[in-house]
Amino acid sequence: MPSLYEFAGGEAAIHRLEELFYASVLRDPLLVQLFGAGRPEHVPHLTAFTAESFGGPDRFSRELGFAHLIAVHRGLRITEEQRQRFVELYLAALDAAGLPDDPRFRSAVVEHVEFGSRVAMQNSHAETDDELHPLREVPRWTWVGDD
């Protein structure tokens, strides 16, 4: 069975997804306050994280590490409305990027984004390390695709 990474189309497809998604959050009045004017390294970081979590190369863990992800979310105080908008824009970017519309693939991506956005929201409000979500490594997301 192919990984989500392979089924999505590999690195190039995931990079296209993250470019479209990132451009959309920078235009969104609700989310731009979390992302600011943008940073050129954000799309490559998002691409590496998604690729790894979808079963691709572990570049994010090797080059940045999960502690980096925790650090960038601390203090953002993400609201539920912002979290939901993040998910909405991510799913719209899936369509815009032309990723597969297979229902099982889409279901796995929705679960992944919902989970990740909840972890980020919790970490964004944590004032102590004990309040952080216990996740400390890039999750490897699986799915029930075609055999």
Side-chain angles (χ1 to χ4, degrees), residues 45-144:
H45 290 177
L46 286 168
T47 300
F49 177 81
T50 302
E52 183 172 339
S53 64
F54 281 9
D58 66 347
R59 191 173 75 245
F60 187 89
S61 291
R62 285 185 292 103
E63 295 177 8
L64 295 168
F66 201 79
H68 169 79
L69 198 57
I70 292 171
V72 298
H73 289 102
R74 295 250 350 222
L76 289 178
R77 307 199 62 75
I78 299 167
T79 66
E80 177 61 20
E81 183 182 17
Q82 288 170 321
R83 188 199 70 76
Q84 289 178 9
R85 184 67 175 149
F86 179 98
V87 171
E88 178 185 328
L89 292 178
Y90 200 89
L91 299 179
L94 272 177
D95 292 330
L99 267 67
D101 62 1
D102 178 273
R104 294 162 297 190
F105 173 77
R106 291 296 175 109
S107 177
V109 173
V110 168
E111 289 172 11
H112 175 266
V113 175
E114 284 284 346
F115 175 77
S117 65
R118 290 180 193 287
V119 170
M121 188 170 78
Q122 179 177 338
N123 290 346
S124 78
H125 289 272
E127 295 186 15
T128 68
D129 287 352
D130 290 339
E131 293 174 346
L132 291 169
H133 190 280
L135 185 68
R136 293 295 185 274
E137 61 186 27
V138 175
R140 291 294 187 137
W141 221 256
T142 60
W143 70 308
V144 181

